[in-house]
Amino acid sequence: MNEALVRQAEKKAGIIEAFEAMPDGIIIFDDAGSVIEMNPAAKALLAAGDPLRLSGGIVSARQPETRRRITALMTETLRFHVGISREPPSAVLVQRENGGMPLRITAYAASTRSANGFFGVLQIRDMATNAIPSADMILQATPLSQAEARLCHALLSGLKIADYAAQSGISEHTVRTQFKNVRHKLDAPSQADVMVTIMRLCGG
């Protein structure tokens, strides 16, 4: 009996150690949306406050639309788990206020329930931690032109369109037209979607 308890304690310690060491932010929330536990990576992302923060024990954001999307993601995940929704919700891309690489938030429902009800898990991936592909890599992995690949590399590196135009000696109007073509070629509705699509196509 004592040996079984020791093995169980060791297994639990191993799970906690793995949870703490995960590079992605992991947040466990209950069916009211309140945070139960989070790992150090999640704490660091929330402490930075761009774009996520903790407000009253609930994952929130300064931007109302971002708050709405996160709440909907958590709600729909639990609705799917109890059979109210037919499909699990898709991951949500959350653009940073500073214009940097977005966060990709995926939600999962726990397979078991506690005495207090169901709970779920948010996985928050900081897309900025992936290595940024070079313009040549982007050119090879996508249907973009050389000029479009250079533009996307600059945006992935954190430059804004106006800054890239000024550095390149191109009008901002021309650069915005290039980026519109990029969105069309990659079938990406926003800059955040463009960035994530390029990272995926380049193996990031």
Side-chain angles (χ1 to χ4, degrees), residues 5-151:
L5 289 172
V6 168
R7 283 196 302 272
Q8 188 175 12
E10 288 174 348
K11 184 177 179 182
K12 186 176 180 181
I15 292 170
I16 292 171
E17 187 176 326
F19 172 75
E20 296 284 321
M22 289 187 77
D24 291 342
I26 303 294
I27 296 174
I28 301 170
F29 62 94
D30 64 19
D31 51 13
S34 297
V35 172
I36 299 170
E37 188 59 69
M38 55 183 164
N39 69 351
K43 290 175 184 175
L45 287 169
L46 291 173
D50 180 19
L52 305 178
R53 60 182 176 168
L54 199 61
S55 177
I58 295 174
V59 178
S60 184
R62 288 189 182 90
Q63 297 295 328
E65 178 59 19
T66 302
R67 270 198 309 272
R68 186 197 66 75
R69 293 174 75 193
I70 295 168
T71 300
L73 176 65
M74 296 165 72
T75 301
E76 286 305 306
T77 297
L78 294 178
R79 283 168 59 87
F80 170 73
H81 187 57
V82 298
I84 298 173
S85 297
R86 294 189 176 208
E87 294 182 3
S90 300
V92 168
L93 290 177
V94 179
Q95 186 64 52
R96 280 186 159 93
E97 293 170 20
N98 65 13
M101 287 288 287
L103 301 177
R104 184 177 191 273
I105 307 178
T106 309
Y108 307 94
S111 57
T112 58
R113 62 177 295 172
S114 69
N116 298 321
F118 292 100
F119 58 95
V121 178
L122 289 180
Q123 176 188 23
I124 307 171
R125 175 157 293 174
D126 183 353
M127 300 303 291
T129 60
N130 294 49
I132 296 172
S134 66
D136 284 340
M137 285 181 65
I138 295 170
L139 183 64
Q140 292 176 35
T142 68
L144 304 181
S145 69
Q146 283 189 338
E148 292 162 352
R150 286 195 298 270
L151 168 60

Side-chain angles (χ1 to χ4, degrees), residues 33 51 63 89 126 156 164 172:
Q63 297 295 328
D126 183 353
L156 285 166
Y164 176 75
E172 189 174 335

Side-chain angles (χ1 to χ4, degrees), residues 65-66 69 91-96 99-104 127 144 151-152 155-156 161 176 178-200:
E65 178 59 19
T66 302
R69 293 174 75 193
V92 168
L93 290 177
V94 179
Q95 186 64 52
R96 280 186 159 93
M101 287 288 287
L103 301 177
R104 184 177 191 273
M127 300 303 291
L144 304 181
L151 168 60
C152 289
L155 295 176
L156 285 166
I161 284 179
R176 291 194 181 279
Q178 285 179 344
F179 189 67
K180 184 177 178 182
N181 292 336
V182 168
R183 286 174 47 207
H184 176 72
K185 287 180 180 180
L186 298 180
D187 192 25
S190 70
Q191 183 171 330
D193 291 300
V194 166
M195 290 177 169
V196 172
T197 298
I198 288 173
M199 294 298 287
R200 177 176 54 79

